Amino acid sequence: MTVGILPATAQSLGEEDFKRELSYGINFNSNGGLIGGAFIRSSHFMKKRMYQFGALEIVEVKHPKEYPVYNYETGDRFIFQKQNYLFVVRPQYGREYVLFRKAPESGVQVNAIAAAGPSLGLLVPYYIQYRYPGSGTNPQMMDIRTEQYDKEKHSDPYNIMGSANVFTGLGEAKINVGLHAKAGVSFEYGRYEESIAGIEVGFMYEQYANKLNMIVDAEKYSQFLSVYLNLYYGSRR
């Protein structure tokens, strides 16, 4: 009798013993520069090999025509003709299907992932520091002002001394509503069953109701397609 009981009590926990996962990490994508943003995700067990999850991503989307320019007088840089930043908040609902489950204390788990949700695109004015000639009793003095880039007012790029802090125009953000969907595959590592770490790669499609003005004299887009990579860490219970 004892021999029959031991295997059952000594076996490792199965997937049905973990009802919830919480993970967070950073996002890299083909529209976001060096680091796209960050995310957090909460997953819940549904049935064998299937999880549902809610997530929140906050990323920056850059226009493909963004080119940094350096001012050698100040050492600062700015994006020429940039008028607005685009920051996107993406609530998501999705499903995660376990394709290959890892061994209890080693190996790699492979999951297929699909998610969709609304996109809240925040167009935040891009402010620069522009040098105007002096006037009055001392014309040699320079007047440097922090203003949102304007093609007509700021026509001389040599007088753009640099860009202002991103928070300068945050209070003037305009919200644009859209939708997004993504599909990908994750490769999950973890020495212990209670911890998770891994990478997720896939494609993201995003559509807005209006075309978004980011760069003056450049094409305005209402839809964005990107390749993304997420690095994440978390725990399950």
Side-chain angles (χ1 to χ4, degrees):
M1 294 297 291
T2 304
V3 175
I5 293 174
L6 281 176
T9 57
Q11 67 181 348
S12 61
L13 293 173
E15 67 176 302
E16 66 276 5
D17 295 298
F18 296 102
K19 301 302 182 184
R20 181 177 179 181
E21 294 182 356
L22 181 65
S23 58
Y24 49 88
I26 56 176
N27 168 273
F28 304 86
N29 66 80
S30 55
N31 291 332
L34 182 61
I35 297 179
F39 68 93
I40 186 170
R41 180 168 67 193
S42 178
S43 303
H44 299 267
F45 179 82
M46 292 182 66
K47 58 183 180 180
K48 185 176 178 62
R49 291 183 175 269
M50 181 69 73
Y51 289 81
Q52 63 179 343
F53 65 84
L56 181 67
E57 291 184 355
I58 302 177
V59 301
E60 181 183 4
V61 175
K62 295 180 181 291
H63 193 283
K65 296 295 184 181
E66 290 194 13
Y67 299 109
V69 178
Y70 288 87
N71 183 299
Y72 293 100
E73 291 185 52
T74 63
D76 292 335
R77 73 171 191 166
F78 59 93
I79 306 299
F80 186 57
Q81 293 195 327
K82 184 179 180 74
Q83 198 161 35
N84 294 291
Y85 294 98
L86 175 58
F87 296 105
V88 185
V89 179
R90 298 178 182 139
Q92 294 175 355
Y93 172 79
R95 298 287 179 91
E96 182 176 7
Y97 182 76
V98 180
L99 297 174
F100 303 101
R101 179 163 291 280
K102 70 181 180 68
E105 294 188 8
S106 63
V108 179
Q109 179 171 300
V110 183
N111 308 316
I113 293 174
S119 294
L120 303 178
L122 304 177
L123 278 177
V124 179
Y126 182 76
Y127 276 80
I128 61 169
Q129 295 176 326
Y130 194 78
R131 177 174 60 191
Y132 291 91
S135 60
T137 58
N138 194 347
Q140 300 301 318
M141 293 294 293
M142 295 298 174
D143 180 13
I144 299 177
R145 305 176 192 174
T146 301
E147 300 174 327
Q148 183 181 10
Y149 178 79
D150 184 293
K151 178 183 175 181
E152 302 302 325
K153 290 176 62 177
H154 310 128
S155 57
D156 187 352
Y158 292 102
N159 283 324
I160 300 178
M161 311 307 290
S163 61
N165 190 292
V166 64
F167 298 106
T168 303
L170 196 59
E172 304 170 58
K174 296 179 180 179
I175 300 177
N176 295 264
V177 179
L179 298 170
H180 71 272
K182 74 172 186 177
V185 178
S186 69
F187 302 89
E188 182 180 301
Y189 308 86
R191 186 172 179 180
Y192 302 104
E193 289 184 323
E194 294 82 2
S195 65
I196 54 175
I199 63 173
E200 177 188 336
V201 294
F203 297 90
M204 167 82 70
Y205 175 77
E206 195 159 45
Q207 175 72 57
Y208 291 92
N210 303 308
K211 292 186 175 182
L212 306 181
N213 180 22
M214 300 164 66
I215 302 290
V216 176
D217 292 337
E219 183 177 356
K220 298 174 177 59
Y221 298 103
S222 61
Q223 55 186 350
F224 300 87
L225 180 64
S226 64
V227 177
Y228 73 88
L229 182 149
N230 290 336
L231 301 180
Y232 64 89
Y233 177 82
S235 61
R236 52 163 57 130
R237 61 184 183 182

